[in-house]
Amino acid sequence: MAQIRLKTRTATEVRRTLTRVMNMVANGEMDSKTANTIILGCNAVLSSIRTDDQQRKIDELERLLNEIR
């Protein structure tokens, strides 16, 4: 199988990657086992992105609260 580059730095890139993988499976360019592995990885990355975003928001709220005090 030829190498493919998949972007997963942001939630938007993960969404585009998942769409690309889905299309590749539908077009017979990728087997479903490989696609499932990529999807699992994308879900893990997406979870990490969400956790990072939540932590960033919490940090900002704490900073604002400290400024008010």
Side-chain angles (χ1 to χ4, degrees):
M1 180 190 285
Q3 265 190 324
I4 57 172
R5 287 256 191 249
L6 303 173
K7 296 180 181 182
T8 58
R9 299 187 100 196
T10 66
T12 300
E13 286 181 349
V14 171
R15 181 175 39 86
R16 287 181 184 145
T17 292
L18 290 170
T19 300
R20 183 174 175 199
V21 168
M22 185 176 58
N23 286 329
M24 291 175 80
V25 171
N27 294 325
E29 299 169 7
M30 179 183 291
D31 64 282
S32 60
K33 185 177 179 181
T34 301
N36 284 333
T37 301
I38 292 170
I39 289 166
L40 284 172
C42 283
N43 284 331
V45 169
L46 192 55
S47 178
S48 296
I49 290 170
R50 287 179 179 154
T51 300
D52 289 347
D53 287 346
Q54 286 175 343
Q55 187 60 52
R56 217 174 352 267
K57 289 175 183 178
I58 289 169
D59 292 344
E60 177 64 15
L61 287 171
E62 287 176 343
R63 186 188 66 74
L64 289 171
L65 278 172
N66 288 332
E67 283 181 10
I68 292 171
R69 293 181 188 167

